[in-house]
Amino acid sequence: MSDKALTGLKVVELAEFIAGPYCGKLLADFGAEVTKIEKPTVGDEARQRGPFPDRLPDPEKSGLFLYLNTNKLSITLNVETATGRNILKEILKTADVLIEDRPPAQMEALGLNYESLHKVNPALIVVSITAFGQSGPYRDYKGYAINASALGGQTACAGEMGREPLTPPLCLGHYQSGVAGATAAMGAIFAREASGKGQHVDISEAQVWATLHTGNQESSFIMHGMKRMRWGHRTPGVYPYTILPCKDGFMSMIAIQGYQWKRFLEMIGDGQVPEWYSSDPRFGDRREISLKYADEMDGRLAPWLTAHTKAEIYRLCLEKRVPFAPVRNMAEVVNDAHLKAREYFVEVSHPVAGTFKYPGAPGRLSETPWAVDSPAPLLGQHNEEIYCKRLGYSKEKLEALRTGGVI
Amino acid sequence: MLGDLGAEVIKIETRSRIDSMRLSPDNLDKEPDKDPWFHSGVRNQLSITLDMEQPKAIPLLKNLIKMSDVVIENFSPKVMKQHGLDYPALKQVKPDIIMISLPATGHFGPLRDAQTYGPSLTGLAGVDGLVGYYGERVLGLQQAYADVNSALHGAFTVLAALYYKKRTGKGQFIEMAQLETVVSIAGEAVMEYVMNGKVLGTMGNYYPTMCPHNNYRCAEEDKWISIGVKTEDEWKAFCQAIGDPAWTKDEKYADKYSRLRNRNELDRLVTEWTSKLNYYDATEILQKHGVAAAPCLDTEARFFDPHLQDRKTYLEVDHPTTGTDFIANSAWALSDNPTEIRYRSPLLGEHNKYVFKELLQMADEEMAQLEADKVIY
C-alpha cells in the first residue's frame, strides 16, 4: 500500500447507514485507518438495505454497505454493555477521530458523551452527525433524511405548488452531512496541532441543508423579501432554466447568458432565430418570459424537442456550445464514454458479494491517489486483528467476550 | 469553507468579467457589491481585482501564489494552461503548492469541453432523473446542488492534501470533476444498476423500507409536515399519536410491506389527521410519541424557526451596501473554534491595497500605473 494523504490518521466509526459511514469512507479512501464498530450479529443497518445481487438479501452483499465501507476494518462490539463501553474507551485512547451518529441523549446515557470521552483521550476529535444536532430545542427529536431536509428547507424547493413537496432522493442529505463531517474533522485536526486538544464537531443534517444548500435564500429574503417556492420543472428568474421532454427522455436546459440561448434558437431554426421568437416583443426579456410566458415557451419548443432524441440534441449542443445536458439514468451514466475514458468507475472484488463496478474517486490527487485497497469488510472480520493483536487480548478472552454477547 | 475554518482566502476577480455570483438571479439591483447570494456565500474572503487577460497580471499572480499554500480554480479546462498558470507552471513557482481544479466534467475525456451549469450536472450525473412525483415526469432538484457538493468535497480534499504536505513537505494537484463528485453521492443508484441492471425513475417521496414516508398537508395554506416511520414500534407509536383511529387496525396496514403496497390510501388517511393541525403542533405530538417528524420550512419559516435560531444558523452581519445582512453559518459547529465572520463579503477589489502593497510590497506609483493600465481592474 502506497503512502496516502491521510496515512497515519486513526479513525473509529461508531455509525451506520449513510452519513457517518460516508464520512468514514472519505477518510479511509484517502488513507486513514478507519475501524468500524458494528453491532454483534446484525451489524450496520446498511447491510440490510441492499440493493442485493439477484435481489437475494445477504448482510455481506448489500450494495449500499459495500460502497460506503471500502478500505475499513470491521469489529463487532456491543456498547450497550458496560464491558463493551470500556473496550470502546480503550480503543479510543489511541484514536484521533471518533465518528458517531447516536442521539445525543443516548450517548449521554451510555456515558459516551463528548465530555466523558474527552477525559479518556483529551486529543480525541469527536464528530457527531445527527439530524438536528447536539443543541437547540429539537436536539432530542427523532429525524430521518426526510425530516432533516424538511427542516433545512431543501424539501420546500422541489415539487409543484398545490402538491406535496419532494424530499431529495437517495438520502442525499446524509452524504452532505458526511462530507461536512470529514471537512470539519480535518479543520479540527489542524486546530489540534496548535492546541494539542481535540474538540467536538457537531453536524446537524438540517443545518447542512439550511446553510450550504438553501442558506443564500435567507439573504435574498432579508434583502428583497424573496421566497423560494416549488416551481416544478423550472426555476423562474431567467428562461430557460427548465427541464423539458424530448423524444426519448428529458433535457436539462439552462442558459444564463443571452448568447447561449441565441445559439440554441439558431440551432432549432436551421441557423436563424425562428421568426415566431424574433418577431414577438414579449420574448425580448428572458426574465419576463420566465415569469409570464414560460408555459407558452415550453409549448413552442416542444415540437422540435420531441422530434429529437437526447443524444441528438446533446451532440448538437456540444457542437454549438449550448450548455444544455441530457437527464441521464444510471445505465447511461455507468456506460458513459466520458466516464469510461476517465476510468471513473472502479472494479472492486469482494469475497462474498463478487465483483462490481463502484463509483470511484470524488477527486483525483496527483501525489496520493484515491484507491480502493480493500473491499468493505465482513462483519467482525478484524476482531482478532484489533482485539488480539492490538489490544493484546487472548483468544480465550475473545471467546468469552463473544459468548458474553459483547463482541 | 476554508475561510470559515480560519484560512486567509484571497479571491481574484476582475471588473472586465464580473463573477456571476455577484450578478445572481436574486440580485435585483444588478449591483455587483449588493448580491444576496454573494453576501452569504462569499464571506471570510478578501477580494482583489486583477485581470488575468492582461499579460502583466500573470507575474503578479505568481508572486501571490508564491506566498500561498493553496490555489483554487474552476475555469473551463484550457483557461489556466492558456495563461501559463496550470499546475506544472505553478509548481515551478512554488514547488509545494496544492492546486485544486473544479471543472464541470473534468480536464480530460470526450466531454471535457462541455459547457454545463450546476443544475444540469445533476441531470448528467443521473440524480435529477429520480426527482419528480412517483412515476411521473422529471422535475429535477432545481438547485445548484453539484456546485455545493463539489465545493464541500473540494474543501475536504484540500485539507487532506494539506495534511499530507505537513507530513512530507509535498504539494499536489487535485482534479475534481463536478460530474464525478455527484455520481459519488449516488452510490445506491449506481449499485442498483451494476448489481441488477435496474434503473430507478422518479421516486416521489417513496422510500423502499419506510411507510408512512411522505410530506403531508397541514392546516394552513401550503404548510406540510414530513413524517418517516421505519420500525413496527414507530408505527405503533404513530397510531397512538394520532389517536388510534379504527383504520389503523386494518390488515392493509398491519406491517411495513402491506403499508407500502397500500401507501396511497394510507397517505390519504394520514392527511386526514395532519390537515387539521398546524405543522409545528403536529410535529410536537408525533415527536412526543417518538415518531420522526419535522415541518417543511420555506425560506421565511426557516428564518423564524426557534431551533435554527438557537443554533445560530443565520448570522447577522453589517454590510455597507445593505446595512445588515443575514447570512448562513457554516455547515458545522466546532466546539472550540466556532465560525466567526472575520470578513463580511468583500466589495469588488476591496483588499487591493492590502494585497498589492502590504503582501506584494508594491510601490504607490507602480500600483497606480497598473490601475491605469487596467491590469489591477
Side-chain angles (χ1 to χ4, degrees):
Chain A
M1 253 182 269
S2 59
D3 208 9
K4 296 280 167 55
L6 300 180
T7 299
L9 196 65
K10 281 189 166 176
V11 179
V12 175
E13 180 184 303
L14 182 67
E16 58 181 352
F17 201 42
I18 296 174
Y22 190 62
C23 178
K25 173 181 169 69
L26 285 166
L27 298 167
D29 289 353
F30 282 122
E33 181 193 90
V34 178
T35 305
K36 184 177 179 73
I37 294 177
E38 300 193 69
K39 283 175 279 194
T41 321
V42 285
D44 185 331
E45 184 196 328
R47 290 182 181 275
Q48 316 299 325
R49 176 77 162 91
F52 301 103
D54 306 319
R55 311 229 169 279
L56 298 171
D58 178 328
E60 299 299 354
K61 292 182 179 179
S62 158
L64 183 67
F65 180 85
L66 294 172
Y67 171 58
L68 290 173
N69 294 285
T70 49
N71 290 323
K72 295 182 191 173
L73 309 173
S74 163
I75 60 171
T76 51
L77 184 64
N78 183 356
V79 298
E80 318 301 325
T81 64
T83 316
R85 288 194 289 279
N86 286 334
I87 294 174
L88 174 67
K89 287 178 182 171
E90 207 175 328
I91 293 169
L92 290 176
K93 273 181 190 158
T94 56
D96 298 295
V97 178
L98 168 69
I99 303 165
E100 69 88 13
D101 62 358
R102 303 264 179 129
Q106 198 183 103
M107 286 300 266
E108 269 162 31
L110 292 172
L112 296 174
N113 52 334
Y114 176 71
E115 290 68 29
S116 311
L117 297 178
H118 183 71
K119 284 188 195 122
V120 173
N121 175 2
L124 183 70
I125 291 155
V126 177
V127 181
S128 296
I129 308 181
T130 60
F132 305 118
Q134 304 292 306
S135 67
Y138 313 155
R139 176 192 106 124
D140 296 323
Y141 274 10
K142 186 180 268 188
Y144 296 112
I146 190 173
N147 312 112
S149 70
L151 197 78
Q154 177 61 35
T155 302
C157 301
E160 293 169 351
M161 291 306 291
R163 300 179 74 181
E164 72 275 17
L166 295 174
T167 199
L170 307 172
C171 301
L172 289 183
H174 286 349
Y175 290 87
Q176 296 298 293
S177 305
V179 206
T183 307
M186 291 309 300
I189 285 163
F190 284 106
R192 188 178 70 173
E193 290 189 4
S195 69
K197 270 177 59 200
Q199 60 181 306
H200 196 185
V201 177
D202 171 5
I203 304 288
S204 145
E205 189 168 317
Q207 183 172 334
V208 173
W209 283 120
T211 55
L212 282 182
H213 290 272
T214 65
N216 54 7
Q217 294 172 24
E218 244 47 54
S219 302
S220 303
F221 173 66
I222 295 302
M223 214 183 275
H224 300 306
M226 296 169 96
K227 271 173 75 171
R228 167 81 207 208
M229 310 301 280
R230 304 189 302 285
W231 291 303
H233 64 278
R234 65 169 79 100
T235 297
V238 67
Y239 191 98
Y241 190 134
T242 186
I243 291 178
L244 290 179
C246 61
K247 196 175 184 177
D248 61 345
F250 291 86
M251 287 297 295
S252 178
M253 303 168 52
I254 301 170
I256 303 295
Q257 308 293 342
Y259 61 83
Q260 297 164 334
W261 175 229
K262 186 163 173 272
R263 284 175 190 161
F264 175 74
L265 290 172
E266 287 169 355
M267 201 170 104
I268 65 172
D270 289 323
Q272 280 200 321
V273 175
E275 218 261 323
W276 60 260
Y277 187 89
S278 55
S279 65
D280 195 329
R282 293 177 305 151
F283 300 155
D285 182 330
R286 294 196 298 138
R287 186 178 169 81
E288 287 290 296
I289 302 177
S290 80
L291 298 173
K292 293 183 192 158
Y293 317 120
D295 282 338
E296 183 182 342
M297 193 58 67
D298 287 1
R300 293 278 198 170
L301 302 178
W304 188 88
L305 288 169
T306 51
H308 295 82
T309 64
K310 286 195 284 190
E312 287 163 1
I313 299 171
Y314 196 37
R315 201 179 313 118
L316 282 170
C317 286
L318 292 171
E319 212 179 283
K320 307 285 184 195
R321 318 233 359 104
V322 174
F324 299 170
V327 174
R328 303 196 292 194
N329 63 36
M330 273 308 164
E332 294 166 316
V333 173
V334 173
N335 298 308
D336 175 32
H338 177 74
L339 293 174
K340 269 195 183 148
R342 290 174 58 78
E343 296 177 338
Y344 167 69
F345 291 99
V346 292
E347 254 185 19
V348 178
S349 294
H350 183 273
V352 178
T355 304
F356 293 102
K357 275 185 189 167
Y358 292 28
R364 295 158 191 253
L365 283 71
S366 62
E367 195 69 27
T368 54
W370 181 101
V372 176
D373 292 318
S374 56
L378 306 175
L379 182 59
Q381 184 181 337
H382 302 92
N383 279 350
E384 262 192 57
E385 167 82 26
I386 301 290
Y387 291 123
C388 300
K389 288 192 190 142
R390 301 266 180 97
L391 297 181
Y393 296 0
S394 65
K395 290 263 164 72
E396 294 73 39
K397 183 172 177 183
L398 193 66
E399 192 47 42
L401 288 168
R402 188 172 289 145
T403 47
V406 176
I407 68 167
Chain B
M1 291 178 222
L2 299 176
D4 282 3
L5 287 171
E8 180 185 79
V9 178
I10 299 170
K11 178 177 179 65
I12 297 166
E13 29 184 359
T14 174
R15 287 175 198 282
S16 61
R17 198 181 159 168
I18 303 278
D19 182 344
S20 59
M21 265 295 270
R22 287 189 179 274
L23 294 170
S24 77
D26 283 9
N27 186 340
L28 299 184
D29 304 298
K30 298 292 162 211
E31 286 173 34
D33 284 334
K34 200 183 167 190
D35 187 298
W37 294 7
F38 192 85
H39 283 196
S40 184
V42 186
R43 75 300 181 78
N44 284 331
Q45 297 191 27
L46 311 179
S47 162
I48 64 167
T49 48
L50 187 61
D51 185 359
M52 276 171 66
E53 297 305 323
Q54 303 295 327
K56 278 186 189 163
I58 305 302
L60 293 174
L61 263 175
K62 286 186 173 171
N63 285 343
L64 194 54
I65 288 165
K66 212 178 275 180
M67 55 180 77
S68 303
D69 300 299
V70 177
V71 175
I72 303 168
E73 70 88 15
N74 69 340
F75 291 110
S76 46
K78 55 193 177 216
V79 173
M80 289 300 267
K81 193 166 185 184
Q82 270 169 4
H83 293 78
L85 294 169
D86 56 347
Y87 176 67
L90 296 186
K91 202 178 170 187
Q92 301 264 310
V93 174
K94 180 135 198 301
D96 63 354
I97 196 76
I98 291 166
M99 177 176 176
I100 180 166
S101 293
L102 299 135
T105 49
H107 276 186
F108 64 96
L111 290 181
R112 70 164 223 163
D113 293 320
Q115 292 188 334
T116 330
Y117 288 105
S120 293
L121 274 169
T122 39
L124 205 58
V127 171
D128 268 1
L130 310 175
V131 184
Y133 293 96
Y134 190 86
E136 295 184 29
R137 64 157 294 165
V138 170
L139 299 178
L141 285 170
Q142 300 291 325
Q143 285 274 88
Y145 185 89
D147 291 82
V148 175
N149 180 55
S150 58
L152 187 53
H153 279 86
F156 163 70
T157 311
V158 163
L159 291 168
L162 275 166
Y163 184 83
Y164 180 73
K165 181 176 141 178
K166 282 237 171 192
R167 190 158 57 80
T168 63
K170 287 185 197 163
Q172 56 184 316
F173 175 63
I174 303 160
E175 189 220 17
M176 184 168 277
Q178 298 191 24
L179 170 66
E180 292 174 342
T181 312
V182 175
V183 182
S184 291
I185 51 91
E188 194 175 341
V190 172
M191 299 312 279
E192 272 285 6
Y193 176 69
V194 299
M195 285 182 155
N196 293 314
K198 187 182 171 190
V199 167
L200 303 173
T202 44
M203 309 277 283
N205 293 318
Y206 168 77
Y207 194 87
T209 57
M210 288 170 79
C211 194
H213 183 273
N214 212 333
N215 301 308
Y216 299 91
R217 189 185 293 279
C218 288
E220 288 91 357
E221 172 76 18
D222 199 36
K223 301 290 184 215
W224 306 80
I225 182 176
S226 64
I227 301 173
V229 171
K230 191 183 233 166
T231 64
E232 292 311 309
D233 282 346
E234 288 176 2
W235 168 246
K236 279 184 206 128
F238 174 80
C239 296
Q240 212 180 13
I242 67 170
D244 281 318
W247 62 261
T248 55
K249 311 285 183 299
D250 194 319
E251 62 178 26
K252 280 193 287 190
Y253 313 119
D255 62 56
K256 187 187 298 178
Y257 299 101
S258 323
R259 290 195 293 277
L260 276 167
R261 267 198 305 278
N262 300 298
R263 66 180 184 278
N264 291 336
E265 208 176 327
L266 175 59
D267 281 346
R268 272 195 297 278
L269 291 163
V270 173
T271 304
E272 279 181 13
W273 182 77
T274 58
S275 60
K276 295 187 184 75
L277 295 164
N278 168 279
Y279 63 167
Y280 273 105
D281 294 342
T283 297
E284 211 181 312
I285 293 168
L286 291 170
Q287 287 285 356
K288 269 196 185 133
H289 285 83
V291 176
C296 296
L297 300 182
D298 66 9
T299 317
E300 184 175 2
R302 287 200 298 287
F303 190 74
F304 295 106
D305 180 77
H307 182 75
L308 297 180
Q309 281 188 354
D310 188 81
R311 290 179 55 85
K312 297 185 173 64
T313 308
Y314 310 110
L315 302 168
E316 193 173 351
V317 182
D318 291 341
H319 195 282
T321 65
T322 54
T324 303
D325 288 332
F326 279 87
I327 67 171
N329 203 331
S330 303
W332 50 76
L334 293 174
S335 58
D336 291 0
N337 304 96
T339 295
E340 288 166 21
I341 305 301
R342 294 167 298 136
Y343 302 101
R344 53 144 177 84
S345 121
L347 306 176
L348 194 53
E350 186 173 355
H351 303 91
N352 280 352
K353 261 198 184 140
Y354 163 68
V355 172
F356 292 114
K357 295 181 71 168
E358 266 184 63
L359 293 183
L360 294 177
Q361 306 264 305
M362 194 179 279
D364 288 344
E365 312 78 67
E366 191 188 350
M367 190 169 161
Q369 188 60 52
L370 288 166
E371 281 170 346
D373 294 345
K374 292 195 169 179
V375 175
I376 296 178
Y377 180 73

